[in-house]
Amino acid sequence: MTTLYLTEDRAFVRKQGRTLVVQRTGDDERTRVPLERVTEVVCCGDVSFSGAALRELCEDGISVSYIGPRYEWVGRWEPRESKTIPLRRAQFRAADDPAAALAIARPIVAGKIRNCRALLGRARREGAAVADTDLESLARLRARAPHATTLDEVRGLEGEAAARYFPAYGQIVSVNGFNFERRTRRPPSDPINAMLSFGYALLPGAAATAVRTVGFDAHLGFLHAERYGRESLALDIMEEFRPIVVDALVVALVRLKMLTPRDFEQS
């Protein structure tokens, strides 16, 4: 899977044969990307497309996602929906069955807590200051998740785990000039939160593409409640991947000095 990220404001994308041509408005410089190399396009700025380019992308099964200026998920232009009706019927029946929804939601939260604990444990083995009590608390919460009796209880365990996890995570990433006190959003208040928010904004798009590829309805989830326009199943799927994809990447960027505070602008 090869994702094309377009981050230049006022960029314009057109089609030339089997090639995408990216050009910033008022600039003669062009970037050419063969369509054969692209499986997804993510726009992180004010990016426009020609009708021919969008049509070609849809015909090739390539989605176009937009991320807003505060790293929030905006939406996606995507190919036509799968025709797998029996699978979606089964999905809707499961969502209407409280016992079935609970059986799906419990392992999602258990897996997320397990991965949070694994990240903290690995950081501790590498010398980070992670307390025994934080690892033990996450282990207890993970053990309780498979035995939760309601969706509200499952969500409560997820919230308790986050309250334990992020302070410990802050100890890992508050190095080399960075400082993380607590998780903040809309807007993120510091570079660490900005990186987390940006990563968390990209994950739903990848998850939604994955669930649609096999025929599910991305809007109907089990852990996340239904809300108009929200792709709840994509949010369900991404939960386990937050720690091992986004959080772990931010740890590497900070601790290996691949990014420094000078790479960020505060406004």
Side-chain angles (χ1 to χ4, degrees):
M1 184 175 184
T2 303
T3 302
L4 172 64
Y5 293 94
L6 302 175
T7 59
E8 287 287 341
D9 275 333
R10 297 180 298 281
F12 180 73
V13 183
R14 59 184 175 85
K15 182 180 83 76
Q16 190 175 73
R18 292 287 298 165
T19 300
L20 293 179
V21 181
V22 185
Q23 182 177 6
R24 186 170 179 174
T25 304
D27 194 339
D28 292 334
E29 186 176 348
R30 296 174 175 84
T31 301
R32 289 176 167 79
V33 183
L35 276 166
E36 286 73 16
R37 294 173 52 191
V38 179
T39 55
E40 181 185 11
V41 179
V42 176
C43 305
C44 306
D46 183 8
V47 181
S48 302
F49 290 79
S50 71
L54 283 176
R55 185 171 60 251
E56 189 82 6
L57 288 166
C58 270
E59 289 175 354
D60 281 19
I62 301 170
S63 65
V64 179
S65 304
Y66 275 85
I67 305 299
R70 293 186 175 181
Y71 313 110
E72 73 276 14
W73 176 251
V74 176
R76 177 176 50 255
W77 170 276
E78 62 184 352
R80 55 179 166 268
E81 194 174 63
S82 166
K83 299 180 177 64
T84 318
I85 298 299
L87 181 65
R88 289 205 297 279
R89 285 170 61 95
Q91 178 189 0
F92 274 70
R93 285 196 296 268
D96 287 336
D97 181 347
L102 178 62
I104 294 170
R106 285 186 299 207
I108 291 173
V109 170
K112 179 181 180 179
I113 298 173
R114 179 190 64 238
N115 289 339
C116 287
R117 186 179 183 277
L119 186 150
L120 296 181
R122 183 169 63 248
R124 179 179 176 176
R125 290 192 296 272
E126 295 173 353
V130 177
D132 284 337
T133 52
D134 293 323
L135 296 176
E136 292 166 0
S137 294
L138 290 174
R140 285 194 297 270
L141 290 168
R142 179 192 176 279
R144 289 170 55 191
H147 306 291
T149 57
T150 66
L151 280 174
D152 284 342
E153 185 180 352
V154 173
R155 294 169 184 139
L157 292 172
E158 183 184 24
E160 286 184 56
R164 279 289 187 177
Y165 169 70
F166 277 114
Y169 183 79
Q171 297 295 317
I172 300 172
V173 294
S174 294
V175 295
N176 300 327
F178 288 98
N179 184 48
F180 178 86
E181 295 182 356
R182 61 189 178 91
R183 179 76 180 109
T184 57
R185 305 178 297 165
R186 300 176 186 168
S189 59
D190 56 76
I192 299 295
N193 273 295
M195 287 188 279
L196 292 174
S197 291
F198 183 64
Y200 294 163
L202 293 175
L203 271 183
T209 298
V211 299
R212 283 194 170 94
T213 297
V214 296
F216 286 110
D217 187 321
H219 290 88
L220 185 66
F222 303 92
L223 175 64
H224 290 83
E226 294 177 40
R227 183 182 300 169
Y228 180 81
R230 181 164 77 174
E231 294 177 322
S232 297
L233 182 59
L235 296 178
D236 287 357
I237 296 299
M238 70 173 269
E239 288 300 336
E240 290 187 66
F241 294 95
R242 287 179 187 255
I244 58 176
V245 176
V246 178
D247 301 3
L249 175 60
V250 173
V251 169
L253 293 173
V254 169
R255 295 186 71 87
L256 297 178
K257 300 182 181 180
M258 300 168 73
L259 288 175
T260 71
R262 294 189 299 275
D263 295 310
F264 297 82
E265 294 180 4
Q266 189 82 20
S267 63

